[in-house]
Short mmCIF file of all heavy atoms in Angstrom, two decimals:
data_model
loop_
_atom_site.label_atom_id
_atom_site.label_comp_id
_atom_site.label_asym_id
_atom_site.label_seq_id
_atom_site.Cartn_x
_atom_site.Cartn_y
_atom_site.Cartn_z
N THR D 739 102.98 133.02 -97.53
CA THR D 739 102.93 133.00 -98.98
C THR D 739 101.52 132.90 -99.50
O THR D 739 101.26 133.13 -100.66
CB THR D 739 103.80 131.85 -99.53
OG1 THR D 739 103.42 130.67 -98.81
CG2 THR D 739 105.27 132.12 -99.31
N ASP D 744 103.84 138.21 -97.43
CA ASP D 744 105.00 137.41 -97.77
C ASP D 744 106.26 137.97 -97.12
O ASP D 744 107.05 138.67 -97.74
CB ASP D 744 105.13 137.39 -99.30
CG ASP D 744 106.25 136.51 -99.77
OD1 ASP D 744 106.84 135.79 -98.94
OD2 ASP D 744 106.56 136.56 -100.97
N GLY D 747 109.55 136.94 -98.90
CA GLY D 747 109.72 137.59 -100.20
C GLY D 747 110.26 139.00 -100.05
O GLY D 747 111.13 139.44 -100.80
N ILE D 748 109.76 139.72 -99.05
CA ILE D 748 110.24 141.08 -98.82
C ILE D 748 111.65 141.07 -98.25
O ILE D 748 112.51 141.88 -98.62
CB ILE D 748 109.25 141.83 -97.91
CG1 ILE D 748 107.91 141.98 -98.65
CG2 ILE D 748 109.80 143.20 -97.51
CD1 ILE D 748 106.80 142.57 -97.82
N ILE D 751 114.19 140.69 -100.99
CA ILE D 751 114.47 141.94 -101.72
C ILE D 751 115.37 142.85 -100.88
O ILE D 751 116.31 143.48 -101.40
CB ILE D 751 113.15 142.66 -102.06
CG1 ILE D 751 112.31 141.81 -103.03
CG2 ILE D 751 113.41 144.04 -102.64
CD1 ILE D 751 112.99 141.49 -104.33
N ALA D 752 115.11 142.91 -99.58
CA ALA D 752 115.98 143.73 -98.72
C ALA D 752 117.42 143.23 -98.77
O ALA D 752 118.37 144.03 -98.77
CB ALA D 752 115.45 143.70 -97.28
N GLN D 755 119.00 144.31 -102.16
CA GLN D 755 119.31 145.73 -102.21
C GLN D 755 120.45 146.09 -101.26
O GLN D 755 121.28 146.95 -101.55
CB GLN D 755 118.06 146.55 -101.91
CG GLN D 755 117.07 146.42 -103.09
CD GLN D 755 115.91 147.36 -102.96
OE1 GLN D 755 115.09 147.23 -102.08
NE2 GLN D 755 115.83 148.33 -103.86
N LYS D 759 124.48 147.97 -101.52
CA LYS D 759 124.85 149.16 -100.73
C LYS D 759 126.05 148.90 -99.81
O LYS D 759 126.37 149.75 -98.97
CB LYS D 759 123.68 149.57 -99.84
CG LYS D 759 122.46 150.10 -100.55
CD LYS D 759 121.41 150.53 -99.50
CE LYS D 759 120.01 150.33 -100.01
NZ LYS D 759 119.53 151.37 -100.92
N THR G 449 101.68 135.01 -108.23
CA THR G 449 101.56 134.83 -106.79
C THR G 449 101.62 133.37 -106.41
O THR G 449 101.79 133.03 -105.26
CB THR G 449 100.23 135.45 -106.29
OG1 THR G 449 99.20 134.96 -107.14
CG2 THR G 449 100.28 136.96 -106.37
N ASP G 454 106.67 136.65 -107.73
CA ASP G 454 105.67 137.64 -107.38
C ASP G 454 106.06 139.03 -107.87
O ASP G 454 106.57 139.85 -107.12
CB ASP G 454 105.51 137.61 -105.85
CG ASP G 454 104.42 138.53 -105.37
OD1 ASP G 454 103.69 139.10 -106.21
OD2 ASP G 454 104.31 138.72 -104.15
N GLY G 457 104.39 141.93 -105.94
CA GLY G 457 104.90 142.08 -104.57
C GLY G 457 106.21 142.84 -104.54
O GLY G 457 106.43 143.71 -103.68
N ILE G 458 107.07 142.55 -105.50
CA ILE G 458 108.35 143.25 -105.56
C ILE G 458 108.16 144.69 -106.02
O ILE G 458 108.79 145.61 -105.50
CB ILE G 458 109.33 142.48 -106.48
CG1 ILE G 458 109.64 141.10 -105.84
CG2 ILE G 458 110.61 143.27 -106.71
CD1 ILE G 458 110.46 140.19 -106.71
N ILE G 461 107.15 146.86 -103.13
CA ILE G 461 108.28 147.25 -102.26
C ILE G 461 109.10 148.36 -102.92
O ILE G 461 109.52 149.32 -102.27
CB ILE G 461 109.17 146.02 -101.96
CG1 ILE G 461 108.38 144.99 -101.14
CG2 ILE G 461 110.44 146.43 -101.22
CD1 ILE G 461 107.85 145.49 -99.83
N ALA G 462 109.32 148.24 -104.22
CA ALA G 462 110.05 149.30 -104.94
C ALA G 462 109.33 150.63 -104.81
O ALA G 462 109.95 151.69 -104.65
CB ALA G 462 110.22 148.92 -106.41
N GLN G 465 109.84 152.03 -101.21
CA GLN G 465 111.20 152.55 -101.01
C GLN G 465 111.45 153.81 -101.83
O GLN G 465 112.12 154.73 -101.36
CB GLN G 465 112.22 151.46 -101.33
CG GLN G 465 112.14 150.35 -100.27
CD GLN G 465 113.29 149.37 -100.36
OE1 GLN G 465 113.37 148.65 -101.33
NE2 GLN G 465 114.16 149.35 -99.37
N LYS G 469 112.64 158.03 -101.06
CA LYS G 469 113.81 158.66 -101.69
C LYS G 469 113.44 159.88 -102.52
O LYS G 469 114.29 160.40 -103.25
CB LYS G 469 114.48 157.65 -102.64
CG LYS G 469 115.16 156.48 -101.97
CD LYS G 469 115.83 155.60 -103.03
CE LYS G 469 115.79 154.15 -102.68
NZ LYS G 469 116.80 153.69 -101.74
#
Side-chain angles (χ1 to χ4, degrees):
Chain D
T739 49
D744 184 8
I748 295 174
I751 296 301
Q755 290 189 293
K759 292 182 212 281
Chain G
T449 49
D454 184 7
I458 295 174
I461 296 301
Q465 291 191 293
K469 291 183 214 279

